[in-house]
Amino acid sequence: MITLTVDGSPVSVPAGTTILGAARRAGVRIPTLCFLKGVSDIGSCRVCSVEVAGRPGLVTACNTPVEQGMQVSTGTQRVVDARRAALGLTLSAHGLNSTNFCFSCARNGSCELQDVCREVGVTEPLFPAEPRRKPVLDSNPFLAYDPNLCILCQRCVGACNSFARNHTLKAAKRGLRTTIEAPFGPDWKATSCESCGCCAAACPTGALTLKRRREYRSWEVRKTLTTCPHCAVGCQFNLVVRDGRIVDTEPAFGPANRGRLCVKGRSGSFDFVQSPERLTTPLVRSSATGQLEPATWDEALDLVARRFSEIKRDFGPDALAAFACSRSTNEDVYLLQKMARCAFGTNNVDNCARVCHGPSVAGLAATLGSGAMTNPIADITSPDVDVIMLVGSNPEEAHPVAGMQIRAAVERGAKLIVVDPRDIGLAAQADLHLKLRPGTNVAFSNGMCRVMIEEGLLDREFIDSRTEGFEEFAAMVADYTPERVAEICRISADDLRAAARLYATARQAPIIYCLGVTEHSTGTEGVMSMSNMALTCGKLGRPGCGVNPLRGQNNVQGACDMGATPADLPGYQKVADPEVRAKFEAAWGVKIKPEPGLFATQVFHAAVEGTVRGLFIFGEDQVRTDPDISHVIRGIEALDFLVVDDLFLTETAAYADVVLPGISYAEKEGTFTNTERRVQRVRRAVASPGDARPDTWIFAEIMRRMGYAQPDLTPAEIMDEIASLTPSFAGISHARLDSPEVAGRGLQWPCTGPDHPGTPIMHVGKFTRGRGAFSTATYKPAAELPDAEYPLMLTTGRILYHYNACAMTSRTDGLNEIVSSSFVEVNAADAASLGIDDGGRVRMESRRGSIVTTARVSGKTNPGEVWMPFHFQDGNANWLTIDSLDSICACPEYKVCAVRLSKA
């Protein structure tokens, strides 16, 4: 520790602490302007200048490290005069002869320059402002830069380069002058700007702002801390509310985002809440007109209860099924699955993990004992990480805030291995990019393990003490020579060897994967193969390692945790276990079937066959998101009765007999569980529109009207019930999550009691299943490969600016301005042979359907492979995709099907 004095008071701080940090530790305030912790400490504004005994000049406190015995003075006349001079010069550069302009500035009332000038006592420029008006750059739909108000503190540059790590916004020199090159002019679409807004959040004045900031002043609003409703990173932010309407979001320093937000979180998280297209009253299909028409809640709920009860009576409980919403809260999902089991009497309950990360739940549970991410995001992107292996994941677009932190880790020196069929953005920064053929993940992993074993790169002590099945596994992978794997995957055998050596010899090396591993007919085996690599090297149960699926939706982890799966009750307690059933039967007062129900992907087949006749869909839009849409529609049309609970009249809701208006995340209390297993609060910021009702109220009303005596419970009381029945959630409650003890960090399950701190890293010392199990899964080709009739391989994915079926993001005009229609990426060689031009319209056909879209010609994909996003209805890839299912957990093979392409 270093001991110094600040204004005569002694203080001890760790070596490397700045004078500013020491002063704050001592309770002494030093004003700052260009400083922003973790973003900028260049000291250019000189406002934090202090006097140090023995030094001739003043020093900047924000970037001067302390020294033993240092004597710092923060308020001498010399210091005060220097600060006033610095601020006087800054005001001159700010371009204002008076403060009149401040009243029309978007940052009025929350301008740090105003605040610091007031604190230091500066009210006028030191020199007259030169009469100039530089052009304002405001072509970007979200952001604007007014150089006339810029004080050149460069915090925006630090935010873009050191925080978001996007490197688009830069400082430059124009002669002797520093200028800011902001990418918001007419050519903004040609830049690499992601419109994340981190720069605007860092700006201390009104120079760089979010355009919507003009709509309010800081004293007019209230703020509600909540969790982002998009991907499963679980970013924390404040919803900013004026006169009952959300007008903005502000990032909070959450454990997963650490003050960052992406463009969807910052700018696409509230327009949909206030959309005029929101459902505000129940709709019932008229027997006279065949149209959906407004109804009262009693009319709608009585009809729902009567028709479901009739189906249950006439065809049995398993003629009913329910799908939970992975974007809604844990409390909602828990009560939905309880409705299925207690009122419907069936285990036919599932959620959209079935079509994304169902293989993660099944595969990691089989090999490690728990189907979830093993390590936190901050841990697997920390400065201590040596190597990151990214498999089938494009986090810069699908999980952007995690992507920012991966970029930071790589720029700090972590090696990066990208295993992906496309040239994703991070591939340009990778030390190795294995551009493998889609559907060959198991062969790749087996080849990696073969190299590790053959070259003695395995952790034998770990294998002997903590795993089982290694000898059989080693015998199986012996057949996967680098040359054979190179042929299967269409990669270099030398690159495979290099990747194995790089990963195996690293001290800390996480595997991070996503839907490129799971959405295959062998997805569960692909996940188990990820575990095999980590088990072989002993990279589990310790920091900076693990097997880490980035879950797709904000609460898809929670939907699985809450028991919205056919074989599991909350907390992955098996319906087949008599003791588990007895516990829930005692609590719920009903008998629970011991047989698992149908997976969601099996329900539409069962509907066509006539064995499922009634379906309740909560917040999902299968007519847009499930594979082989034609088959989905046949299943829906075969149902006797369909109920949809949603925010909008979706493609699926248009087929419903009853549509019920639920409420959004901004209108309810509850919790989401992010990809790290972190349970975080969701808080009500605004009232719900019209007569929309809480989803828990809807479920409870249906349960009561079907004869099950479900009490009215608040979301907090529902979480208490969850905790009472679920050992891994036993220490989680709303009160604890809101407490100073947790301090906004959330709690990571397993959290087994009210004093348990939660579990950041899984499998420390012992696997949940006892010993880690090696999988002996062998490579199997995809269900449908290209042939002479359909010679191209189609794979699908996400883009940065939209989310899933666009139900939320398409209501934000700025996101639509950036991109709003479908496209397909075509390799340049394929395009040339087919006579297809970049930007040209093309027809793409599979054995299941046909769409027309726009070609983007490049080298992003390999020859013979095409890629397209699944967001857009004008060319929905799911008319083409195949519903071939994973044999273990019935996840569809979105990532591989055969297509042909022609000019439209």
Side-chain angles (χ1 to χ4, degrees):
M1 298 291 283
I2 304 294
T3 300
L4 67 157
T5 62
V6 179
D7 291 342
S9 299
V11 60
S12 295
V13 294
T17 303
T18 63
I19 292 174
L20 180 61
R24 289 177 174 178
R25 176 77 65 88
V28 176
R29 173 168 170 74
I30 297 174
T32 63
L33 191 56
C34 70
F35 173 77
L36 190 61
K37 186 176 180 180
V39 174
S40 176
D41 61 356
I42 61 174
S44 65
C45 72
R46 316 299 294 179
V47 171
C48 68
S49 294
V50 295
E51 199 167 355
V52 175
R55 297 197 184 186
L58 301 181
V59 301
T60 47
C62 70
N63 57 11
T64 302
V66 298
E67 296 175 2
Q68 183 65 33
M70 182 181 274
Q71 299 175 36
V72 178
S73 299
T74 70
T76 66
Q77 191 60 47
R78 182 186 180 196
V79 168
V80 170
D81 289 346
R83 287 177 184 160
R84 287 176 175 167
L87 280 171
L89 288 166
T90 298
L91 278 182
S92 299
H94 196 44
L96 304 180
N97 284 314
S98 76
T99 58
N100 291 338
F101 184 83
C102 294
F103 293 106
S104 61
C105 177
R107 291 295 294 270
N108 186 29
S110 59
C111 172
E112 292 180 48
L113 179 59
Q114 280 183 345
D115 295 341
V116 174
C117 284
R118 190 180 303 114
E119 178 182 353
V120 176
V122 175
T123 58
E124 296 180 354
L126 192 62
F127 301 101
E130 60 179 283
R132 71 189 193 284
R133 292 301 299 169
K134 297 178 182 177
V136 175
L137 304 178
D138 63 353
S139 298
N140 182 287
F142 300 116
L143 295 156
Y145 173 62
D146 185 346
N148 305 290
L149 302 181
C150 180
I151 61 173
L152 301 175
C153 68
Q154 298 185 49
R155 277 170 41 166
C156 59
V157 177
C160 186
N161 292 273
S162 302
F163 199 50
R165 302 278 176 162
N166 195 36
H167 303 286
T168 303
L169 200 152
K170 299 182 174 107
K173 285 288 187 182
R174 295 289 183 269
L176 296 177
R177 290 181 177 272
T178 298
T179 62
I180 301 299
E181 295 185 346
F184 309 133
D187 63 343
W188 66 275
K189 281 191 175 183
T191 74
S192 60
C193 176
E194 297 173 345
S195 300
C196 68
C198 289
C199 55
C203 182
T205 71
L208 211 165
T209 58
L210 286 160
K211 291 181 177 179
R212 60 179 175 271
R213 188 65 180 76
R214 302 165 185 164
E215 299 174 13
Y216 68 92
R217 297 293 179 262
S218 58
W219 60 84
E220 299 175 316
V221 300
R222 58 179 175 82
K223 300 175 185 179
T224 301
L225 179 64
T226 193
T227 304
C228 180
H230 292 293
C231 79
V233 171
C235 296
Q236 297 294 285
F237 60 51
N238 287 294
L239 289 172
V240 181
V241 179
R242 177 190 180 192
D243 297 333
R245 287 183 60 82
I246 304 170
V247 293
D248 206 350
T249 59
E250 288 183 357
F253 194 87
N257 66 311
R258 306 175 73 81
R260 299 170 179 86
L261 289 177
C262 76
V263 61
K264 293 189 291 290
R266 196 182 301 271
S267 297
S269 293
F270 59 89
D271 288 320
F272 75 92
V273 174
Q274 296 154 168
S275 168
E277 297 174 312
R278 281 283 300 273
L279 294 169
T280 58
T281 190
L283 302 174
V284 172
R285 192 168 299 280
S286 167
S287 58
T289 66
Q291 302 300 308
L292 287 168
E293 297 180 356
T296 67
W297 275 104
D298 280 335
E299 290 169 340
L301 293 175
D302 283 346
L303 176 61
V304 170
R306 177 172 62 82
R307 291 294 288 119
F308 280 158
S309 295
E310 290 171 350
I311 292 170
K312 180 180 177 181
R313 180 196 64 206
D314 295 343
F315 302 100
D318 288 336
L320 297 174
F323 297 162
C325 177
S326 296
R327 293 185 304 282
S328 198
T329 63
N330 287 317
E331 295 76 6
D332 290 347
V333 174
Y334 173 83
L335 210 59
L336 183 282
Q337 64 83 32
K338 186 178 180 182
M339 177 180 75
R341 290 181 164 118
C342 295
F344 295 3
T346 183
N347 286 320
N348 291 343
V349 60
D350 210 346
N351 73 89
C352 80
R354 188 61 45 218
V355 295
C356 59
H357 271 288
S360 290
V361 175
L364 295 180
T367 54
L368 310 180
S370 183
M373 190 169 178
T374 59
N375 293 53
I377 293 169
D379 174 67
I380 59 176
T381 58
S382 79
D384 295 326
V385 167
D386 305 301
V387 173
I388 295 171
M389 181 151 62
L390 194 65
V391 187
S393 176
N394 185 9
E396 288 183 298
E397 302 205 52
H399 303 86
V401 170
M404 293 175 189
Q405 293 172 78
I406 292 171
R407 290 194 296 231
V410 172
E411 290 179 18
R412 285 192 299 260
K415 303 294 185 183
L416 178 63
I417 303 168
V418 169
V419 185
D420 198 278
R422 292 173 69 228
D423 288 339
I424 62 171
L426 281 167
Q429 296 175 257
D431 296 88
L432 286 167
H433 178 198
L434 282 71
K435 199 172 178 180
L436 81 179
R437 187 164 172 79
T440 62
N441 296 311
V442 173
F444 154 75
S445 174
N446 286 347
M448 289 278 287
C449 293
R450 154 73 190 253
V451 173
M452 296 176 205
I453 294 168
E454 184 180 51
E455 298 190 5
L457 303 176
L458 69 173
D459 187 335
R460 192 77 219 194
E461 181 181 352
F462 181 91
I463 291 168
D464 292 343
S465 64
R466 294 198 55 189
T467 73
E468 61 188 24
F470 175 73
E471 300 306 327
E472 295 87 346
F473 166 72
M476 183 272 294
V477 300
D479 292 336
Y480 288 83
T481 64
E483 288 70 27
R484 181 189 174 202
V485 172
E487 184 177 351
I488 293 170
C489 299
R490 300 186 183 179
I491 58 175
S492 159
D494 287 340
D495 284 350
L496 181 73
R497 291 187 182 96
R501 292 164 187 157
L502 194 59
Y503 171 70
T505 57
R507 186 174 55 87
Q508 292 191 15
I511 296 171
I512 302 172
Y513 75 87
C514 197
L515 303 184
V517 170
T518 61
E519 288 184 339
H520 294 277
S521 55
T522 56
T524 303
E525 293 167 333
V527 170
M528 293 191 288
S529 75
M530 299 298 107
S531 292
N532 286 342
M533 289 189 286
L535 289 168
T536 300
C537 298
K539 288 183 170 59
L540 284 157
R542 55 191 182 91
C545 293
V547 181
N548 300 284
L550 294 176
R551 304 300 292 264
Q553 300 198 51
N554 55 304
N555 199 40
V556 70
Q557 180 68 57
C560 297
D561 299 343
M562 292 299 100
T565 56
D568 295 333
L569 289 156
Y572 306 97
Q573 300 173 85
K574 303 301 177 185
V575 296
D577 187 328
E579 292 185 8
V580 168
R581 286 201 312 279
K583 177 175 67 172
F584 280 90
E585 287 170 352
W588 291 347
V590 297
K591 284 291 183 183
I592 298 171
K593 289 191 169 191
E595 301 84 14
L598 295 174
F599 294 124
T601 44
Q602 297 170 327
V603 165
F604 294 120
H605 291 275
V608 171
E609 294 165 0
T611 54
V612 169
R613 293 175 173 269
L615 177 60
F616 189 103
I617 298 177
F618 172 35
E620 298 296 336
D621 191 4
Q622 280 79 7
V623 174
R624 285 190 70 164
T625 62
D626 272 23
D628 190 0
I629 291 173
S630 296
H631 169 73
V632 173
I633 292 172
R634 287 194 297 273
I636 285 176
E637 290 178 337
L639 292 167
D640 292 347
F641 195 65
L642 173 63
V643 180
V644 172
D645 170 5
D646 214 312
L647 304 180
F648 302 100
L649 190 64
T650 63
E651 300 290 326
T652 303
Y655 288 89
D657 298 286
V658 177
V659 180
L660 304 174
I663 64 175
S664 77
Y665 83 108
E667 298 149 4
K668 64 177 64 171
E669 297 285 327
T671 57
F672 293 154
T673 304
N674 81 339
T675 192
E676 310 166 299
R677 300 168 283 105
R678 192 184 305 275
V679 182
Q680 301 181 114
R681 284 280 275 119
V682 176
R683 296 179 177 91
R684 184 175 185 263
V686 292
S688 51
D691 204 17
R693 300 286 177 90
D695 302 287
T696 51
W697 179 87
I698 294 171
F699 307 151
E701 280 293 317
I702 293 172
M703 293 164 81
R704 286 190 287 266
R705 292 170 196 236
M706 291 185 70
Y708 179 80
Q710 172 62 36
D712 278 320
L713 300 175
T714 66
E717 290 169 334
I718 294 172
M719 179 53 73
D720 291 341
E721 181 175 321
I722 294 165
S724 71
L725 292 167
T726 312
S728 57
F729 275 67
I732 298 176
S733 66
H734 285 203
R736 191 176 179 203
L737 291 170
D738 291 339
S739 70
E741 171 216 348
V742 173
R745 298 186 305 274
L747 289 165
Q748 289 174 271
W749 65 258
C751 180
T752 56
D755 298 321
H756 193 285
T759 308
I761 298 176
M762 295 284 285
H763 315 302
V764 177
K766 183 181 179 181
F767 288 103
T768 307
R769 70 182 302 279
R771 282 178 171 261
F774 282 94
S775 164
T776 56
T778 57
Y779 163 69
K780 303 181 190 71
E784 184 181 71
L785 295 174
D787 56 19
E789 187 177 4
Y790 295 93
L792 299 173
M793 180 182 286
L794 168 66
T795 189
T796 64
R798 290 181 176 177
I799 61 171
L800 171 63
Y801 298 100
H802 283 283
Y803 178 73
N804 282 16
C806 293
M808 298 190 293
T809 51
S810 67
R811 268 82 186 181
T812 296
D813 290 339
L815 295 176
N816 291 331
E817 184 178 344
I818 296 171
V819 59
S820 60
S821 59
S822 73
F823 61 88
V824 59
E825 293 178 355
V826 185
N827 182 272
D830 295 325
S833 68
L834 294 168
I836 291 170
D837 297 323
D838 184 39
R841 298 291 283 173
V842 294
R843 179 172 298 281
M844 188 155 52
E845 300 169 276
S846 76
R847 291 179 173 85
R848 290 153 297 280
S850 172
I851 62 172
V852 174
T853 186
T854 299
R856 291 190 180 181
V857 178
S858 70
K860 275 191 171 184
T861 61
N862 286 315
E865 298 168 15
V866 295
W867 180 94
M868 74 180 305
F870 52 68
H871 307 294
F872 304 110
Q873 188 66 356
D874 68 326
N876 190 333
N878 287 323
W879 288 106
L880 310 177
T881 50
I882 188 170
D883 68 344
S884 175
L885 303 180
D886 178 296
S887 61
I888 298 171
C889 74
C891 180
E893 189 151 45
Y894 287 102
K895 297 303 183 189
V896 179
C897 74
V899 297
R900 62 188 175 209
L901 205 60
S902 59
K903 294 177 73 170

